[in-house]
Amino acid sequence: MATTCLDKEFCENAWDCSIAVLDLEGNPINPLYINDYQSVMLVLGDKPGYRFVMWLDENENPVPFTHGNLPNSYIINVNCDKKYFAQYCPINYAVTFTSDPYFYQCTEYVTAQYGTVVSKTAVNVSNYHFVKWTRDGADITENETIEHVVTGNAVLVAVYEPFLYRITVKPNNKNYGTCSGSGNYAINSQITISASPYYGYSFIRWGDNNSDATRQVTVGGNMTYKAIFEPNNNIVSSPHVTGGTVIGTGTYRTGEPVTLQPLPEQGWKFSYWEYGINR
């Protein structure tokens, strides 16, 4: 009976001491009591980031093996004059650094082994500012530089938000009308601005000579749009006057003061004014 084929030294020289020694039916065997050239099944513990390659003897010669019927299990014929070692190699994982929104210059692909630390600094992008790094939708860090410990394939996303620019929409005179559309917007946004005159006033044009009271504009930075309103020309008249005349009628602009003077005919006197608006 062999006493040294698969002793503690085997365990220390393999990947770890969680190796199980079984017979071909899957029953545990005391590694100190194995017959020479007996077929045994060895079950290796998992090692994150590494994969099993082959069995070697102490002279680094490959040892024939077949796969067992259990996960991570291998069948070898034991020669008690030799010691056996499990050979592993590290697994390379793909780490992708990209961005949202997608910017080509922000994407980088890295191949690294388990436990390796890889880093990436988010680049500056015109009209956008960096917010955070995420993985699978979960926030990782708000630092521009991320240091990632490789534990598997991963996609790390640098999240950006557009800078907001101030669009100001205002009338040339606040007493003439109102405007809408002011606010903070992202670059290249299509927004609607509008000018609405008060009664007695008319919209004429925008400061850039566009004559559409409601229009769409493209945000290209901080911008101001001024609506040009002007007072209407109004006719002040005194029709159907009996017993006199009125001085001061004519055409006046909205907001312009008007002085009217009644001139009664002989035998008549001024009584009161009546006021009406023709719309």
Side-chain angles (χ1 to χ4, degrees):
M1 300 293 289
T3 59
T4 60
C5 290
L6 299 173
D7 59 12
K8 188 173 184 297
E9 185 174 356
F10 167 91
C11 186
E12 290 175 345
N13 286 280
W15 188 252
D16 57 35
C17 289
S18 64
I19 298 172
V21 183
L22 310 176
D23 63 22
L24 298 187
E25 296 180 353
N27 300 309
I29 300 175
N30 188 333
L32 299 178
Y33 301 100
I34 297 176
N35 294 322
D36 205 10
Y37 296 106
Q38 179 179 346
S39 293
V40 297
M41 184 161 54
L42 305 176
V43 182
L44 297 175
D46 288 329
K47 174 60 179 177
Y50 288 81
R51 63 181 176 84
F52 170 78
V53 179
M54 66 178 68
W55 286 98
L56 300 173
D57 61 20
E58 67 267 28
N59 297 318
E60 298 187 358
N61 296 314
V63 176
F65 69 90
T66 58
H67 292 278
N69 57 9
L70 298 175
N72 297 332
S73 64
Y74 307 92
I75 297 173
I76 65 173
N77 293 320
V78 176
N79 181 341
C80 289
D81 293 331
K82 297 181 178 180
K83 292 184 172 59
Y84 299 90
F85 307 92
Q87 184 184 60
Y88 288 77
C89 73
I91 299 173
N92 287 325
Y93 293 100
V95 180
T96 302
F97 297 97
T98 187
S99 62
D100 180 26
Y102 176 77
F103 304 114
Y104 176 78
Q105 64 267 38
C106 292
T107 302
E108 180 180 338
Y109 305 94
V110 176
T111 300
Q113 296 178 5
Y114 184 93
T116 303
V117 178
V118 294
S119 64
K120 173 72 173 176
T121 299
V123 302
N124 294 324
V125 179
S126 177
N127 296 314
Y128 286 80
H129 66 96
F130 171 80
V131 178
K132 59 187 175 182
W133 285 98
T134 66
R135 178 182 179 183
D136 299 326
D139 295 350
I140 299 176
T141 179
E142 295 181 359
N143 295 329
E144 291 185 356
T145 299
I146 183 174
E147 292 187 348
H148 173 69
V149 180
V150 177
T151 58
N153 296 329
V155 177
L156 305 177
V157 181
V159 178
Y160 291 82
E161 290 181 354
F163 287 115
L164 297 181
Y165 294 94
R166 182 64 185 174
I167 302 300
T168 301
V169 187
K170 64 182 182 179
N172 61 325
N173 188 316
K174 65 180 181 180
N175 296 318
Y176 291 179
T178 62
C179 296
S180 63
S182 294
N184 297 319
Y185 302 95
I187 193 73
N188 296 325
S189 296
Q190 294 285 322
I191 66 170
T192 299
I193 63 174
S194 182
S196 300
Y198 291 141
Y199 176 76
Y201 299 86
S202 296
F203 169 77
I204 305 302
R205 60 182 172 80
W206 293 97
D208 59 1
N209 292 321
N210 186 293
S211 59
D212 297 325
T214 298
R215 57 186 287 205
Q216 280 197 329
V217 297
T218 301
V219 177
N222 296 323
M223 306 170 74
T224 297
Y225 293 90
K226 181 182 288 186
I228 308 301
F229 298 101
E230 289 185 359
N232 294 339
N233 289 324
N234 306 283
I235 297 175
V236 178
S237 62
S238 182
H240 312 300
V241 175
T242 302
T245 59
V246 176
I247 299 175
T249 59
T251 300
Y252 297 89
R253 306 191 75 185
T254 301
E256 184 178 353
V258 178
T259 300
L260 299 177
Q261 180 181 357
L263 294 177
E265 295 176 356
Q266 186 175 4
W268 293 79
K269 68 176 181 178
F270 172 77
S271 178
Y272 60 90
W273 291 101
E274 287 184 347
Y275 175 73
I277 297 178
N278 294 324
R279 295 178 181 262

